[in-house]
Amino acid sequence: MNKAFDKLAHALRQFMERVIESKELLEIDEDESIGNMENSFEAVLNSFHSLKDISEKKGKQFDWYNQVQPFLLITIRNARHHNISNNIRSVRSEEHTSELQSHSFISYAVF
């Protein structure tokens, strides 16, 4: 389980690095900046889900689905992973505004 915590901590650190870098990179290459943040966020979701799986296999008691924050992360991860979400996209990466109503969006704060 220690490895799963380390992997999650590493993914969270990398995500924050991408967010911090994004302001500068957005001015140069918006698609690259958004892609970096989305890939980093996906790594956070997957490492969080791995931690959940490992803790359940080891018999650790935590109600992952009765707490809002873990439930939301698991739901987003499963929607993306199983392609239920039709590829959740950020608002910035959506090029066709006529299709906006049929998608869920995640917006990233840029410092």
Side-chain angles (χ1 to χ4, degrees), residues 58-73:
K58 293 198 177 262
K60 304 293 181 190
Q61 297 299 316
F62 181 78
D63 191 353
W64 297 93
Y65 299 99
N66 199 30
Q67 304 292 324
V68 174
Q69 296 87 347
F71 176 76
L72 180 61
L73 289 174

Side-chain angles (χ1 to χ4, degrees), residues 1-97:
M1 229 164 106
N2 287 341
K3 277 189 171 186
F5 272 114
D6 287 346
K7 194 172 182 178
L8 176 60
H10 185 72
L12 287 166
R13 181 187 56 79
Q14 285 187 321
F15 177 66
M16 287 312 304
E17 288 174 357
R18 299 299 83 78
V19 170
I20 291 167
E21 293 171 351
S22 68
K23 184 176 182 181
E24 197 172 307
L25 188 55
L26 275 169
E27 296 172 12
I28 300 166
D29 189 344
E30 186 176 283
D31 289 338
E32 179 74 14
S33 180
I34 292 167
N36 289 347
M37 286 189 291
E38 289 180 349
N39 289 337
S40 292
F41 185 63
E42 188 168 353
V44 169
L45 294 174
N46 287 333
S47 60
F48 184 80
H49 194 272
S50 293
L51 178 63
K52 178 190 90 60
D53 286 347
I54 290 168
S55 70
E56 287 176 347
K57 286 178 186 173
K58 293 198 177 262
K60 304 293 181 190
Q61 297 299 316
F62 181 78
D63 191 353
W64 297 93
Y65 299 99
N66 199 30
Q67 304 292 324
V68 174
Q69 296 87 347
F71 176 76
L72 180 61
L73 289 174
I74 292 166
T75 301
I76 293 171
R77 184 268 178 192
N78 286 341
R80 290 176 65 132
H81 182 76
H82 299 291
N83 203 25
I84 297 167
S85 64
N86 194 23
N87 294 322
I88 295 174
R89 304 173 196 161
S90 69
V91 173
R92 290 177 160 262
S93 67
E94 181 59 55
E95 294 180 15
H96 305 289
T97 55

